[in-house]
Structure formats: structure tokens, C-alpha cells
Amino acid sequence: MLYIIGLGLADERDISTKGLEIVRKADRVYLEAYTAVLLVEKEQLESYYGRSIIIADREMVESSSDEILANADAVDVAFLVVGDPFSATTHTDFVLRCRQHEPPIPTRTLPNASILTAVGATGLSLYNFGQTVSMVFFTDDWRPDSFYNRIRENADLGFHTLVLLDIKVKEPDLKAMARGKIIYEPPRFMTVAQCASQMIEVEEARAGNVCNKEKLAIGVARLGSEGEQIVAGTLEELTQADLGKPLHSLVLCGKTMHEMEWEFARGYAVDQAKFDEIWKRDYGIQK
Amino acid sequence: MLYIIGLGLADERDISTKGLEIVRKADRVYLEAYTAVLLVEKEQLESYYGRSIIIADREMVESSSDEILANADAVDVAFLVVGDPFSATTHTDFVLRCRQHEPPIPTRTLPNASILTAVGATGLSLYNFGQTVSMVFFTDDWRPDSFYNRIRENADLGFHTLVLLDIKVKEPDLKAMARGKIIYEPPRFMTVAQCASQMIEVEEARAGNVCNKEKLAIGVARLGSEGEQIVAGTLEELTQADLGKPLHSLVLCGKTMHEMEWEFARGYAVDQAKFDEIWKRDYGIQK
């Protein structure tokens, strides 16, 4: 059996007690470490779980999964995933390959906390969210703005948008590669401030009044951990916000943001008077 | 400190190890038991946690929360919530009242699995979902159809819709009440079949081609538990599906349902040939 076990969001103790029992008994334990990361190192997991853990990078999961699945029709293999297993398409694809494997590998999935619902800690109702979008690091020659249309679809319906921020782990250094060496760049995690800046930049080019400087937004960092941090303000204010260590996410508020959502979120405002003024002027609209 | 601890979806062992430590040390332990229910009885939780648990019904949480919060600025109180704490607005409101309490009660929330992401077990990508809707039990004189407009908003954008199904726990028996007695009706949980029937009924009245008999949908039951069950088919087929014990939910598929989603979901189809035919005819549309 392949057990795909969600680890939740923060540290080694967010695993369920059911998940921990499986990890302790499994024949081999893998940790998928490229679609998301925990806030603690692998060694801390190993010490708490009492097991050594094999890191599964993108190449291993997407191209060499035979190694992970070896003998998994006969023995139990634990495949650990940060957050909730099905929050990344790559794990759905992985389960599909297990089904099509010869012999088929039975799978069982243990759900856990995901940023998609933990974002409710902002006070925004999960029922008022539209589709989730991703924001990638802009480079000099690659500044994809397809997120803009998706946010606009949500905004037209008055919905909030959760924006998931890019992480780069184990990215090859292209210059070193050109010299025939494989060196990995240090990991990078997009901040709330970087995301807010990129949104404003695209708004300036597209001018659709979707994510301009005065839109209200909420930045979150390390949700579900003891050091979680939440900052609310205009997108412009958030370009100056420092939410500390990764992981960060951002929510752009939709026009229907109702009174209780506002009352909760204003507790996190950089400038409460400004937050209140803009909310009263532009938000709280009933559909 | 008031700890609001998500229990996940299935049984007593879906709590995180961090949550369990808090429960074991807390001064008092409450279980919120009206917005959702676990698949096991309170006694099973008490035995595994080694603590006695006080059931908090709607009246206690929404009107008499002083009892729960008594002394919580000085001692630790654990408030257990099925699923993820912020998936129900009532818990957001509860945190807000803690902040406004005199003296203020510090809170900490431990996220956990929610149906909102566990539904990824269907193979449908969470990034292709629009807003979530709720379906209540129709009665002779109350057949609310506001869900229809919300599903249409999603459908217009090609999105899937997660439909959460009504549960009735501790509902007063109105006839007994009229005789001055307080008797509670036995708990009721809507099934996938009932939901599919209600959707088709409203479609017949509204005729907007939003949830007619031939739309593809996926019913799920007891997600995250060992006995989880998933059935895919047309809405008409799902009116005949028996997914057994609660809790059930239903997903209405959106037109953008892409190839990998189809390939995964067809594994659960009542009638695979029909599922394939309809998908090829009406779905897989690129935005």
C-alpha cells in the first residue's frame, strides 16, 4: 500500500496520530519536498517520527517514481506531503500512475490542513472565495500576467482571491549548467511584498481596476504555526510589509467582503483608519 | 488560552499530535457538534484522548459562550471542531468574541483537513473549483433555490462546484414543542441521491441548463476514512446511488474538466461508457 500522508502546514507535530502510526511502521518513508515546504528541517521530522526519510524531488516523483513504488503492492510505503495531498495536481497524477502500475499499487490518502482553508484565519469566509491563483517570480524576460484574468473573474463576482506565492527549491544554476556543472541555487520564497508589487505592476499595464494600489488585501505568513503573522492593508501598503520568514500567501479582498469579515480583518490592519475608510467606500457590497 | 483545534474528517485519530498534547493538558475540553460531525461517537474520542468532553451545541456556542470562555484568560481551554476550524463562519465569530471579551481571551487555532480540500480525492483539481454552495433539505413549503444562481456563476466560468449537504442534529420536534415538550428529532444527513434529486427538480423549474440530468457529477462519502466511497456519473444516475452512511457531499463538474481529471474520475463511474461519451461531448473545454 502507498500511503500519501498530509503533514499539515507548520512542523513535525501537525501530522495526525493516525499518520504517525503509519510512518512508524512503513517499510520506507519519502518526503515530497518541491511543491511546498514545512517550516522545519528534515532532521527534525526524522527525530520526531523515529524514522529516516528519503527526500523525493520533482525528478524522482514525476519521472522516476518506480523507485518510490518498488514493491509497494506488497509492503507499506509512506509518501509524506506538506499540506493536504490533493492540493497539488502532481499527487493526483501520482495516484493515477499507481492505479495504472503493473501490478496496481493500492493507495490510501490521509488529508490534512491546507493553505486553501487555513487562510480562513484572516477572518474572510471561505464561501466567499473564488478560484485560487498562483504568482510566479517575474524575471527580466518572463512576467506572466495570466493571473490577472483569473482575479478579474473572481472580482467580477465580488469574490476574494487566494494568491499562492512561488517557491524555488533545488533549481539548477543555469550558468553553472552551461559550464557542465550541476549546482543548485539557494531556495527562494516569494514574499507578500514582492507579490503585491508584481500585482500593482501588472495592474498598471492592464488598467482594468482589478488590483490597483488601493485594493484591500491581507498577507499571511507561516499560517498554523505559533509564529503565524497576518497583515491587512492596501496593496500599496503591503509592498512595504515585512512578514518575516516563509511561507507567505496573499488574499486580495473581493467587494462582497461583509461586515464580520471586515471587523475581523481590521484587527490586522497596518493603518486601521485607512482600512476602515476604504472598506466603507468600496466594499461590503451585497450581491 | 482558547485553543480551537481542528479534528479532521473521520475519527479520533485524525487530530494532530500537537492537538492531542493540548487536549490532554487542557483544563476543559469542548466538542462543537452541530456544524459537522465525526464518523465516531463522543465516547470513542474520550477514550482515545483520555479526557471527558463537553458537547457544545449551537445554543451554547452562539448564545452562552461565557461558559466555554470562563477563566480562559488564565487556564487553557480546548474547543474541538470537526474538519478545519475556519471552514464554518460561526468559529470566526467565536474568535472575534474572544478578542472583544473583557478581559480579552487569547486564541490559537490548529488547522486540519477540511472537506473543501479533501474533495481533491475525486481527481478534480482544487484550482478548478469556484465558490462552494450549501444544499438544505427541501420541505413541503421551503424549497430554497439560491444555490442555483451560485452554481451558474461557477458554471459560466467552467468551474466545478462543491455542494455541502445539510445535516440536522438536535433539531427540536416542532409538534412536541407546541405541546410544551422539548424533544429532539433524530439526526438526519442528506445523501448524494437526495441532493442530486433536488438539483434536478430546481433545474426543471429554472431551465437554465445548469444542473440537468445529463450533467456529470461526483458523489463522495466519508472522505478521509478507511471506508471512503466515491461514485461518478450523471446527476440522474446519482439520484439512484447509495453511498451508505454519512457524511456525503457532491461535486458538480464544470465544463473545463480536463483530461487528467476525467481519467481519474472515470475510475469511479457508475457507467464508464456513458461517462466517457458525455465527457467527450460536453466537457474538456479550454478557457
Side-chain angles (χ1 to χ4, degrees):
Chain A
M1 175 86 85
L2 178 78
Y3 287 95
I4 304 182
I5 300 172
L7 294 187
L9 296 168
D11 59 43
E12 72 282 3
R13 295 186 303 134
D14 288 322
I15 193 170
S16 66
T17 65
K18 191 185 286 173
L20 183 57
E21 280 174 39
I22 295 168
V23 168
R24 290 200 166 144
K25 287 186 199 158
D27 195 68
R28 303 187 302 280
V29 183
Y30 295 88
L31 171 65
E32 186 274 275
Y34 65 93
T35 62
V37 294
L38 280 185
L39 309 177
V40 295
E41 297 299 321
K42 178 185 111 162
E43 289 69 27
Q44 202 162 325
L45 269 64
E46 289 183 320
S47 148
Y48 184 72
Y49 298 162
R51 296 298 310 267
S52 68
I53 291 172
I54 307 158
I55 294 287
D57 60 18
R58 184 185 299 271
E59 203 278 322
M60 187 191 278
V61 177
E62 296 186 355
S63 312
S64 325
S65 57
D66 281 355
E67 184 186 330
I68 301 171
L69 299 181
N71 212 24
D73 56 318
V75 301
D76 287 342
V77 174
F79 184 76
L80 309 181
V81 171
V82 176
D84 184 65
F86 286 118
S87 294
T89 319
T90 186
H91 306 133
T92 312
D93 181 54
F94 193 38
V95 171
L96 202 51
R97 276 180 285 138
C98 288
R99 282 198 205 158
Q100 294 162 346
H101 195 270
E102 201 48 61
I105 309 285
T107 62
R108 181 155 177 229
T109 303
L110 269 62
N112 205 325
S114 162
I115 182 67
L116 271 60
T117 55
V119 71
T122 55
L124 299 176
S125 165
L126 297 177
Y127 301 95
N128 294 339
F129 277 75
Q131 61 192 311
T132 300
V133 310
S134 299
M135 177 72 73
V136 300
F137 280 114
F138 284 1
T139 63
D140 290 344
D141 51 5
W142 197 59
R143 307 175 91 74
D145 65 357
S146 61
F147 73 86
Y148 192 85
N149 296 336
R150 299 181 139 246
I151 293 181
R152 176 150 53 192
E153 288 177 346
N154 289 341
D156 285 348
L157 296 168
F159 290 141
H160 314 309
T161 304
L162 170 62
V163 187
L164 300 177
L165 310 190
D166 205 0
I167 68 173
K168 295 280 186 199
V169 290
K170 214 175 170 186
E171 294 287 313
D173 179 322
L174 296 178
K175 283 181 193 161
M177 204 178 244
R179 297 194 307 269
K181 285 187 187 169
I182 294 184
I183 299 177
Y184 295 102
E185 292 179 0
R188 284 193 302 150
F189 304 92
M190 189 183 290
T191 65
V192 163
Q194 287 171 312
C195 175
S197 298
Q198 292 191 178
M199 288 171 81
I200 290 172
E201 177 191 315
V202 170
E203 175 63 45
E204 281 166 3
R206 302 281 296 264
N209 192 26
V210 167
C211 47
N212 63 46
K213 290 176 183 178
E214 286 218 327
K215 295 290 180 197
L216 297 181
I218 306 179
V220 299
R222 302 172 303 285
L223 273 192
S225 80
E226 224 163 333
E228 80 177 17
Q229 204 175 333
I230 302 177
V231 175
T234 63
L235 272 181
E236 185 171 36
E237 285 169 339
L238 291 188
T239 65
Q240 303 302 316
D242 178 5
L243 279 85
K245 287 186 293 183
L247 296 171
H248 294 190
S249 304
L250 182 146
V251 183
L252 186 69
C253 301
K255 293 279 184 189
T256 53
M257 181 179 185
H258 59 62
E259 194 154 346
M260 194 179 83
E261 295 179 291
W262 161 67
E263 202 180 347
F264 199 104
R266 71 193 289 275
Y268 303 114
V270 178
D271 177 341
Q272 214 164 52
K274 189 169 180 181
F275 193 84
D276 291 352
E277 184 197 323
I278 294 179
W279 181 78
K280 282 174 188 160
R281 191 187 68 199
D282 298 337
Y283 292 80
I285 291 162
Q286 297 301 308
K287 283 175 75 174
Chain B
M1 174 85 83
L2 177 78
Y3 287 94
I4 304 182
I5 300 173
L7 294 187
L9 296 169
D11 60 42
E12 72 282 3
R13 295 187 303 134
D14 288 322
I15 194 171
S16 67
T17 66
K18 191 185 286 173
L20 183 57
E21 281 175 39
I22 295 167
V23 168
R24 291 200 167 146
K25 287 186 198 158
D27 195 68
R28 303 187 302 280
V29 183
Y30 295 89
L31 171 65
E32 186 274 278
Y34 64 94
T35 63
V37 294
L38 281 185
L39 309 178
V40 296
E41 297 300 320
K42 180 185 107 160
E43 289 68 29
Q44 202 163 325
L45 269 63
E46 289 182 319
S47 149
Y48 184 72
Y49 299 163
R51 296 298 310 268
S52 67
I53 292 172
I54 306 158
I55 294 286
D57 60 17
R58 184 186 299 269
E59 204 279 321
M60 187 192 277
V61 177
E62 297 186 354
S63 311
S64 325
S65 58
D66 280 356
E67 184 186 329
I68 301 171
L69 298 181
N71 212 24
D73 55 318
V75 302
D76 287 341
V77 174
F79 184 76
L80 310 181
V81 172
V82 176
D84 183 66
F86 286 118
S87 294
T89 320
T90 187
H91 306 133
T92 312
D93 182 53
F94 193 39
V95 171
L96 201 51
R97 277 180 285 139
C98 288
R99 282 197 205 158
Q100 294 161 347
H101 196 269
E102 200 48 62
I105 309 284
T107 62
R108 186 161 170 224
T109 303
L110 269 61
N112 206 325
S114 162
I115 182 67
L116 272 61
T117 54
V119 70
T122 55
L124 299 176
S125 165
L126 297 176
Y127 300 95
N128 294 339
F129 277 75
Q131 61 193 310
T132 300
V133 309
S134 299
M135 177 72 72
V136 300
F137 280 113
F138 284 2
T139 63
D140 289 345
D141 51 4
W142 196 58
R143 308 175 90 76
D145 64 357
S146 61
F147 73 85
Y148 191 85
N149 296 336
R150 298 180 141 247
I151 293 180
R152 175 151 53 192
E153 288 177 347
N154 289 341
D156 285 348
L157 296 167
F159 291 140
H160 314 309
T161 304
L162 171 62
V163 187
L164 300 177
L165 309 191
D166 206 0
I167 69 173
K168 295 279 186 201
V169 289
K170 217 177 170 186
E171 295 286 313
D173 179 323
L174 296 177
K175 283 181 194 162
M177 203 178 244
R179 298 192 306 269
K181 285 188 188 168
I182 294 183
I183 299 178
Y184 295 102
E185 293 179 359
R188 285 193 300 151
F189 304 93
M190 189 183 289
T191 64
V192 163
Q194 287 170 312
C195 176
S197 298
Q198 293 192 178
M199 289 170 79
I200 290 172
E201 177 191 317
V202 171
E203 175 64 45
E204 280 167 1
R206 303 280 297 263
N209 192 25
V210 166
C211 47
N212 62 45
K213 290 177 183 178
E214 287 218 325
K215 296 289 182 196
L216 297 181
I218 306 179
V220 300
R222 302 172 303 285
L223 273 192
S225 80
E226 224 163 331
E228 80 177 18
Q229 204 176 334
I230 301 177
V231 175
T234 63
L235 273 181
E236 185 170 35
E237 285 169 340
L238 291 189
T239 65
Q240 303 303 317
D242 178 6
L243 280 84
K245 288 188 292 182
L247 295 172
H248 294 189
S249 305
L250 182 146
V251 183
L252 186 70
C253 302
K255 294 279 183 188
T256 53
M257 182 180 185
H258 59 62
E259 193 155 345
M260 195 178 81
E261 294 178 293
W262 161 66
E263 202 179 347
F264 199 103
R266 71 193 289 276
Y268 302 115
V270 178
D271 177 342
Q272 213 164 53
K274 190 169 180 182
F275 193 84
D276 292 352
E277 183 197 323
I278 294 180
W279 181 78
K280 282 175 188 158
R281 189 188 70 198
D282 298 339
Y283 292 79
I285 290 161
Q286 295 302 306
K287 285 174 75 171

